Amino acid sequence: MSKQVALVTGGSRGIGYGIVKQLAMQGFDIAVNGIRNKEDVKEMLESIKALDVDVIYCQGNIALTADRKAIIEKVKAHFKKINVLVNNAGIAPKERRDVLSTTEESFDDVLNTNLKGNYFLTQEIANWMIEQKSSDKNFTGCIINVSSISATVASVNRGEYCISKAGISMATQLFAVRLGEFDIPVYEVRPGIIATDMTSGVKAKYDALIEQGLCVQKRWGLPEDVGKCVGALAGGSFPYSTGQVFMVDGGLTIPRL
């Protein structure tokens, strides 16, 4: 039997790389999307190929219509199918500003990547999955949206980011409902404080907060923590849980007194 194929956006670094590595270890062939040049991700691609899977790099910015189409066409040309879409690509505001001074430019920049790009890439892939299901009753597929605890935890110095993640949460439910008749589940994974290059600038701040009890589990989350969660979903361990949220936050969001 041919291997299943997964497309992971923002998969060349951080949480995305943790997801890519986990899926490769589970035997998935991988299409990695990122915005960096292929030469800059060569080492990463080689590390995944070493796990005995087929991997391609689909450079492109999911915020752009033409790039989304090019990404999908490259997957179709190389693999001719897709089983799993992991919407992981996302950006933080270039400058953290209070909600009373957020700029329209920053709002548009974050929402175009984190929400609009995610939404319309999902739309295209969902229709492709429906086509595959109609021609092969044994086809299995799922869509996994990586959002953030910021979908519900308010950070007033990056409101546009929180809004984008809250939007992803609703998009998960919308697509879960729409794809239910095709038995294509859609899930949401919400990471908490994860140690990546995106959070390296606030390491000292969160080191202190974690030590003071911010999380129930007294450590930073790791990309592989998110990868293991996504791997379980992609591997079919939760076939009857479409539309559900899977927390990977060390208990940070548990209400406590």
Side-chain angles (χ1 to χ4, degrees), residues 87 118-119 122-123 126 129-130 141-145 167-188 238-246:
N87 284 308
N118 178 308
Y119 186 94
T122 299
Q123 184 186 76
M129 286 183 174
I130 291 169
C142 71
I143 295 169
I144 303 167
N145 291 325
I168 288 172
S169 186
M170 175 50 71
T172 300
Q173 296 177 65
L174 290 168
F175 280 103
V177 172
R178 186 63 184 89
L179 297 178
E181 67 180 280
F182 305 103
D183 196 24
I184 298 172
V186 184
Y187 309 106
E188 179 187 354
F238 295 89
Y240 199 55
S241 298
T242 192
Q244 296 306 301
V245 178
F246 292 79

Side-chain angles (χ1 to χ4, degrees), residues 4 7 13 25 50 58 66 78 101 106 113 148 152 189 197 245:
Q4 290 202 326
L7 166 61
R13 66 196 339 166
M25 289 191 295
C58 304
H78 188 84
S101 60
S106 178
T113 296
S148 166
T152 59
V189 174
D197 55 351
V245 178

Side-chain angles (χ1 to χ4, degrees), residues 129-141 182-184:
M129 286 183 174
I130 291 169
E131 290 175 11
Q132 292 177 92
K133 189 77 171 183
S134 66
S135 61
D136 178 9
K137 65 179 181 179
N138 294 317
F139 169 82
T140 60
F182 305 103
D183 196 24
I184 298 172

Side-chain angles (χ1 to χ4, degrees), residues 67-113:
D67 283 19
R68 290 194 300 272
K69 292 187 180 299
I71 291 163
I72 294 170
E73 286 307 313
K74 187 165 185 178
V75 177
K76 285 184 175 180
H78 188 84
F79 293 116
K80 299 179 173 56
K81 68 174 186 176
I82 188 167
N83 301 94
V84 177
L85 168 64
V86 183
N87 284 308
N88 168 74
I91 61 172
K94 293 175 183 174
E95 179 185 4
R96 291 192 175 203
R97 300 185 64 163
D98 188 280
V99 292
L100 297 179
S101 60
T102 303
T103 66
E104 286 192 43
E105 180 184 12
S106 178
F107 189 93
D108 289 344
D109 190 35
V110 173
L111 270 289
N112 282 343
T113 296

